Amino acid sequence: MSLYGRYLLPVLTDLAMRNEAVSAERARWVPLAAGVVLEVGAGSGLNFAHYGSHVRKLYALDPSAELRRMAGPRAQRARVPVEFLAAPAEAIPLPDASVDTVVTTWTLCTIADAGRALHEMGRALRGDGRLIFVEHGHSTDPRVAHWQDCLTPIWRRIAGGCHLNRPIDQLIEAGGFEISEIERGYVRGPRVGAYLYRGVARLRASGR
Ligand SMILES: C[S@@+](CC[C@H](N)C(=O)[O-])C[C@H]1O[C@@H](n2cnc3c(N)ncnc32)[C@H](O)[C@@H]1O
């Protein structure tokens, strides 16, 4: 991996993921997590402060050593015990049906094989567990969607594999989940990256 990818990109990611609109979404959705929680693509740990007392334990999975290092101090300040998992979401090192909640924020855009990762999340989740997601993705506005499609090849290269144009709801459903709650729409910021999908999904009984 290049020096840019290993050291500079994690710092830029941490800075970019701290803006007001993003923080407001974290504060709204992350506290819904309960029990044993797996956060996929935990990054620099910006969600950690939002986990409340009904979380018994947090597994913070991220393949980036630099981001896990940056998340360390935030893990120490968290109100819940945090254990880091150095792994990609395509191969989650947890037993079947071992977590109550999976949380993913601004990560399904970046995971190389998002379909496989969602299948893995479903495997690690208990039957009555919940997937809480806050993700950016393909806009319903054709003009914005066009720009998302045009810009994604170059954007992926500078933003660590991030796709601007993934249809997040379809990916989640194709991964074996049923979405029980969803909000779609823009938050503040450049429209190509500001169309959000946020909500809650459960394992589809027939899909596994
Ligand atoms: C834009 S950052 C978001 C970080 C964090 N979720 C947040 O909300 O601040 C994307 C994250 O996805 C992680 N990531 C990339 N590929 C991944 C994979 N295959 N499995 C799990 N996480 C991955 C990156 O290391 C990075 O932490």
Side-chain angles (χ1 to χ4, degrees), residues 38-41 47 51 102-109 111 118 121 131-135 172 197 199:
L38 165 65
E39 185 178 335
V40 171
N47 286 333
Y51 290 105
V102 174
V103 172
T104 164
T105 64
W106 290 275
T107 293
L108 286 173
C109 54
I111 294 172
L118 280 157
M121 294 179 212
L131 167 67
I132 295 166
F133 56 93
V134 182
E135 296 286 344
I172 290 174
Y197 297 71

Side-chain angles (χ1 to χ4, degrees), residues 115-128:
R116 184 162 161 209
L118 280 157
H119 191 82
E120 274 289 275
M121 294 179 212
R123 181 192 62 73
L125 198 58
R126 290 192 214 287
D128 59 349

Side-chain angles (χ1 to χ4, degrees), residues 166-190:
R166 283 188 168 164
I168 298 297
D169 50 354
Q170 292 171 31
L171 273 179
I172 290 174
E173 283 172 350
F177 290 87
E178 202 166 67
I179 294 175
S180 51
E181 183 183 348
I182 189 160
E183 289 179 14
R184 299 182 187 81
Y186 294 105
V187 290
R188 222 171 57 212

Side-chain angles (χ1 to χ4, degrees), residues 13 17 26 41-43 61-64 67 88-90 105-107 110-111:
T13 300
M17 297 311 297
R26 297 185 193 285
L61 176 145
D62 204 290
S64 162
L67 281 166
E90 292 93 334
T105 64
W106 290 275
T107 293
T110 300
I111 294 172

